[in-house]
Amino acid sequence: MPLLSSRRFRAAAAGVAVLGLALTGCTSEPSFSYEPPAQVDGALPDDTVAAMQDAVTNALTAAGASGAVVGVWVPWSGSWVSGVGTQGGGSDAEITTDMAFRVGDVTRLMTCDVLYGLADEGVVELDAAVPDYVSGVPDLADVTLLDLCNGTSGVGSSETVAKSAWLNTPERVWAPLELASYGLGAARTPAHSEYRDSDAGFLMLGLALERASGLTASELISQYVTQPLGLSSTSLPGGTPAAPSTGPVMNGHHLPAVEGGYTCAAPVDITTLSASSGFTDSGVVSTIGDLGRYVQAEAAQALRTTEEPNRFGEPLPAYQSAPSWQQATGGASLVGSLVGQYGWTPGYATAAYSDPATGFTVAVSLNDSTAGGTIAAFLAWELAAIASKAPAASGQTAPEFGLPFTAEQWHQAISDAALACVAPVEG
């Protein structure tokens, strides 16, 4: 899929001044234009594709998944966009590239897009205190909206407490602050000092942006992300339990835990889910084509209408003792020169990254969330390492582009992280 350019209109929120956006014809509405890097219209070399197919197969086995959708775009060489494997859960139907899935923590990038969009337009201040927009959290008076986006609020994660409820009652409709309360109740780290993976922070950020704008989170992501970029298959659904799309869908699963591991032969279908379980942290749905287009634009900060502040300019280590090339800020995971995100939501594990200088892009989603987001991230990095070596197509010149790791490194890491499959007890 060539990542083609588009022009879409983004209506400003009521009372918001139009800032520095080109106009089309006589309309008074602001317009938006994104022109991605030129992409070679052809397949990547056969040996590159074969290596990537092997990588995906290894990851599926390790994650206990039956299928995945994958997209790799190397502007100077070609692309590989494919469904791999089957729907599983008793179905031999093949995975196809038009199937929708849940993008998990990639949603965080979109939530921060909205924050910066509203800030660029003067609707909110990045350094506004959280209690100015979110009720019931007076103890966060020294925490800003930017802290929530950057992961520097010190607030914990709700995942540990809520996970069993997500898996056992996927139809449950959650109030965002109720879900965030689990993370708010966890022990905190000092604000502003270090990055902390906090789903509760992004849930609160979504609530704050709704209150500041008078729009729903779904409307905000549509207005500031999906409409400008022409992402027709991407949205933040409402709370009503549903599959990721009314069209083709990659079914999502998780594996039952048993003593010693998981019953890999009996995946539980969790395709139908209330997106309120993820909301502005992990609730968005998309397709592989849309996801690739989005992360390529995101890495280039194409949605910004002002150059400052630089959203990814002051990253922090992604975790204690993280290598210097693995950082986080602005809702993003930064891996070498790649900007993106990875994570899981019930049924799916997704990762997507792009290099802002070249447009080099990888995206993948697995149809099982049991292993969390780690294997999906490792697979994206392995695919990136493989594809980065692809030779230039005829008439093209490969840029100076490299990554601080090898494909072999992540292939082994995926194998080491493999789930332990336990045969079901007979009788």
Side-chain angles (χ1 to χ4, degrees):
M1 179 209 72
L3 298 179
L4 302 176
S5 63
S6 72
R7 180 175 295 270
R8 295 291 187 273
F9 291 103
R10 187 174 77 192
V16 177
V18 176
L19 299 182
L21 297 175
L23 300 180
T24 299
C26 297
T27 178
S28 61
E29 293 182 322
S31 67
F32 172 89
S33 181
Y34 168 58
E35 187 73 31
Q39 169 71 49
V40 167
D41 186 13
L44 286 166
D46 290 346
D47 56 347
T48 301
V49 172
M52 292 192 293
Q53 287 176 323
D54 179 64
V56 176
T57 299
N58 180 56
L60 290 177
T61 300
S66 64
V69 282
V70 187
V72 179
W73 295 270
V74 184
W76 59 90
S77 183
S79 61
W80 180 55
V81 184
S82 180
V84 179
T86 66
Q87 291 279 33
S91 172
D92 292 330
E94 295 183 350
I95 302 295
T96 57
T97 57
D98 59 346
M99 290 179 171
F101 52 88
R102 304 186 193 279
V103 305
D105 292 5
V106 176
T107 304
R108 297 178 175 186
L109 288 168
M110 299 184 185
T111 302
C112 289
D113 288 337
V114 174
L115 170 64
Y116 274 88
L118 291 173
D120 288 349
E121 293 174 344
V123 178
V124 298
E125 297 290 337
L126 293 176
D127 59 0
V130 173
D132 291 349
Y133 296 102
V134 181
S135 60
V137 289
D139 56 339
L140 295 182
D142 64 336
V143 175
T144 69
L145 300 184
L146 185 58
D147 284 321
L148 297 181
C149 171
N150 285 344
T152 53
S153 69
V155 172
S157 176
S158 299
E159 177 184 317
T160 301
V161 177
K163 181 177 180 179
S164 62
W166 290 338
L167 298 180
N168 293 323
T169 56
E171 71 284 354
R172 177 176 174 176
V173 177
W174 295 82
L177 195 56
E178 173 196 12
L179 187 54
S181 68
Y182 300 131
L184 287 166
R188 296 184 188 173
T189 55
H192 325 300
S193 61
E194 63 184 41
Y195 171 77
R196 185 175 187 183
D197 187 348
S198 173
D199 50 17
F202 287 95
L203 297 170
M204 288 189 291
L205 181 56
L207 284 173
L209 299 176
E210 286 188 327
R211 182 170 182 181
S213 66
L215 300 174
T216 67
S218 296
E219 291 169 336
L220 287 168
I221 286 177
S222 174
Q223 178 172 305
Y224 285 90
V225 182
T226 64
Q227 289 188 48
L229 293 176
L231 308 179
S232 60
S233 298
T234 303
S235 67
L236 174 61
T240 302
S245 172
T246 56
V249 167
M250 182 170 71
N251 294 339
H253 307 88
H254 69 92
L255 302 176
V258 295
E259 184 177 356
Y262 298 90
T263 306
C264 299
V268 177
D269 190 296
I270 197 169
T271 307
T272 298
L273 174 78
S274 170
S276 66
S277 63
F279 189 52
T280 48
D281 172 71
S282 55
V284 166
V285 300
S286 190
T287 59
I288 197 64
D290 269 17
L291 181 58
R293 177 179 176 79
Y294 169 70
V295 76
Q296 188 184 75
E298 179 74 350
Q301 299 191 61
L303 289 167
R304 294 295 303 281
T305 58
T306 64
E307 294 183 359
E308 297 294 336
N310 182 350
R311 177 170 158 187
F312 306 128
E314 298 181 6
L316 294 170
Y319 55 90
Q320 290 187 358
S321 74
S324 60
W325 48 263
Q326 192 171 358
Q327 300 174 304
T329 197
S333 161
L334 309 179
V335 181
S337 66
L338 303 178
V339 177
Q341 189 53 272
Y342 71 93
W344 73 281
T345 195
Y348 305 88
T350 302
Y353 287 86
S354 185
D355 174 59
T358 65
F360 175 94
T361 301
V362 296
V364 61
S365 186
L366 309 180
N367 71 347
D368 195 290
S369 60
T370 308
T374 302
I375 289 178
F378 290 175
L379 175 58
W381 303 342
E382 181 181 358
L383 293 172
I386 294 169
S388 68
K389 307 297 184 184
S394 177
Q396 300 292 317
T397 301
E400 292 186 5
F401 174 67
L403 296 169
F405 46 74
T406 66
E408 292 76 15
Q409 173 184 345
W410 297 117
H411 195 88
Q412 185 60 52
I414 290 170
S415 297
D416 293 343
L419 299 178
C421 292
V422 177
V425 177
E426 297 182 2

